């Protein structure tokens, strides 16, 4: 079966099931072999800009072109897939189903569209099993899901006895300007890692928030993990968050529990490595119980101790 994947997390699932795609999206780079495959789409956004500038580019692309992505019809026709995998989670993060269906028709390709729409760990497990069924890899899918469930259970077993007063409230930001609190699977992962997540529930979509609402929530720990940003880019962009008025007054800042995490590879990809993300979060929230995440995954962010002057009302 010839499979094209237009979503990094789906590409990771394909490889985990022993299926090498014939073509991928421009963001598919894990495992490393995926980056060598034919690229089937293009982005109209420069990902190396600050988050505010990227946000403006996204708005402009949607206004002028109806979306951020363009599918290369010639490349799609050349790889001639039987199945094209795309997503319904976020039309800014990757090519959505409608665009793929239109491209398949225009390119004259006879292919089934397989849509992934993950908002929780159970959704991830179900998608892996569904992929296994479509790709005729059911035994491998069952093994993979069983392994992921076992690792999640191992973390939960070590955090379930933590008293409520020792479970830090957490805010994970998957965009910095405007500030967006990560939803979908992140509340579930934080809870399993021994924290609480007061600003969103599992399955909620990531949405822009007023900075005042973050200050009111006053999280005990903050994780900056912008969508599509690797760790270095997040570290370079951290001032967009930490320089906001009153950030230094947050409980997280005062206790030094402010972190940058690789959002590109972990927080924003609903593939098998979400369980790695859980293990890394547990290490950040409870370093007395879990190993710290590797330095190329997450690091503590320095916070200027000087209180920034509040703007006039």
């Amino acid at each position: 079966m010839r499979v094209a994947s237009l979503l990094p997390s789906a590409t990771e699932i394909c490889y985990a099931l022993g299926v090498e795609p014939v073509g991928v999206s421009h963001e598919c780079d894990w495992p490393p072999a995926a980056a060598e495959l034919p690229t089937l789409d293009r982005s109209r956004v420069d990902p190396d800009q600050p988050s505010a500038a990227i946000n403006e580019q996204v708005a402009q692309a949607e206004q002028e072109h109806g979306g951020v992505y363009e599918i290369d019809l010639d490349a799609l026709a050349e790889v001639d897939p039987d199945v094209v995998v795309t997503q319904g989670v976020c039309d800014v993060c990757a090519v959505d189903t409608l665009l793929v269906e239109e491209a398949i028709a225009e390119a004259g390709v006879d292919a089934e569209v397989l849509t992934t729409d993950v908002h929780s760990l159970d959704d991830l497990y179900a998608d892996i099993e569904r992929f296994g069924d479509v790709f005729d890899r059911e035994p491998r899918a069952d093994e993979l899901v069983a392994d992921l469930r076992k690792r999640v259970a191992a973390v939960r077993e070590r955090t379930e006895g933590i008293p409520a007063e020792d479970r830090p409230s957490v805010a994970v930001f998957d965009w910095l300007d405007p500030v967006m609190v990560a939803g979908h699977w992140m509340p579930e992962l934080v809870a399993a890692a021994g924290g609480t997540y007061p600003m969103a529930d599992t399955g909620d979509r990531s949405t822009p928030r007023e900075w005042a609402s973050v200050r009111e929530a006053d999280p005990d720990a903050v994780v900056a993990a912008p969508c599509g940003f690797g760790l270095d880019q997040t570290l370079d962009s951290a001032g967009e968050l930490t320089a906001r008025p009153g950030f230094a007054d947050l409980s997280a800042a005062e206790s030094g529990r402010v972190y940058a995490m690789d959002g590109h590879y972990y927080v924003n990809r609903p593939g098998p490595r979400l369980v790695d993300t859980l293990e890394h979060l547990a290490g950040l929230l409870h370093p007395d119980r879990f190993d710290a995440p590797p330095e190329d995954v997450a690091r503590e962010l320095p916070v200027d101790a000087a209180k920034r002057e509040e703007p006039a009302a």
Side-chain angles (χ1 to χ4, degrees):
M1 178 177 292
R2 299 175 61 80
V3 178
S5 172
L6 298 177
L7 184 67
S9 58
T11 297
E12 295 187 21
I13 293 174
C14 288
Y15 273 97
L17 296 179
V19 175
E20 181 175 296
V22 295
V24 294
S25 80
H26 68 287
E27 287 190 315
C28 293
D29 56 6
W30 189 264
E36 305 300 320
L37 297 174
T39 301
L40 305 181
D41 71 346
R42 293 182 287 268
S43 173
R44 298 184 174 100
V45 170
D46 179 358
D48 296 324
Q49 296 297 309
S51 57
I54 293 175
N55 200 63
E56 292 177 1
Q57 291 180 59
V58 168
Q60 183 177 357
E62 290 179 336
Q63 180 179 7
E64 295 181 359
H65 305 284
V68 174
Y69 301 101
E70 177 184 11
I71 295 178
D72 185 331
L73 299 180
D74 291 337
L76 180 63
E78 185 173 348
V79 299
D80 192 24
D82 302 305
V83 176
V84 179
V85 186
T86 186
Q87 56 87 44
V89 177
C90 172
D91 57 9
V92 174
C93 299
V95 183
D96 67 13
T97 302
L98 180 60
L99 181 60
V100 172
E101 290 175 343
E102 292 174 347
I104 286 175
E106 190 170 349
V109 173
D110 182 15
E112 172 188 355
V113 178
L114 181 60
T115 302
T116 176
D117 193 16
V118 174
H119 301 277
S120 67
L121 288 175
D122 280 344
D123 288 345
L124 170 62
Y125 304 148
D127 262 7
I128 292 172
E129 290 169 345
R130 187 160 57 97
F131 280 35
D133 182 56
V134 172
F135 302 156
D136 196 23
R137 295 289 194 280
E138 293 95 336
R140 177 61 191 131
D142 291 343
E143 291 174 5
L144 177 57
V145 169
D147 178 67
L148 295 176
R149 288 184 181 276
K150 181 178 179 180
R151 289 168 58 195
V152 171
V155 174
R156 284 180 167 148
E157 184 177 354
R158 295 170 67 180
T159 61
E160 64 182 358
I162 297 175
E165 61 270 19
D166 294 331
R167 292 176 176 267
S169 61
V170 181
V172 178
F173 297 104
D174 59 6
W175 204 246
L176 304 183
D177 192 1
V179 166
M180 296 182 70
V181 175
H184 306 291
W185 45 85
M186 286 311 300
E188 182 180 10
L189 296 187
V190 168
T196 64
Y197 206 76
M199 297 193 71
D201 295 323
T202 297
D204 287 352
R205 293 186 178 273
S206 299
T207 54
R209 301 298 181 97
E210 295 292 335
W211 180 242
S213 69
V214 178
R215 295 187 62 180
E216 183 178 357
D218 190 24
D220 299 316
V222 162
V223 179
C227 186
F229 283 27
L231 183 59
D232 288 343
Q233 189 175 3
T234 300
L235 292 169
D236 290 343
S237 305
E240 297 178 18
L241 179 67
T242 62
R244 288 180 177 272
F247 185 90
D249 296 318
L250 294 178
S251 295
E254 291 181 342
S255 65
R257 304 186 75 178
V258 180
Y259 310 100
M261 181 176 274
D262 186 329
H264 177 63
Y265 275 144
Y266 296 97
V267 174
N268 317 128
R269 286 193 185 186
R273 287 191 296 170
L274 277 188
V275 179
D276 295 48
T277 307
L278 167 61
E279 293 164 345
H280 297 326
L281 282 171
L284 291 179
L285 301 183
H286 296 286
D288 56 327
R289 295 171 179 256
F290 297 90
D291 292 336
E295 286 199 351
D296 62 349
V297 173
R299 295 184 202 169
E300 185 176 324
L301 273 177
V303 179
D304 189 348
K307 309 291 185 182
R308 294 179 62 87
E309 184 177 345
E310 297 291 337

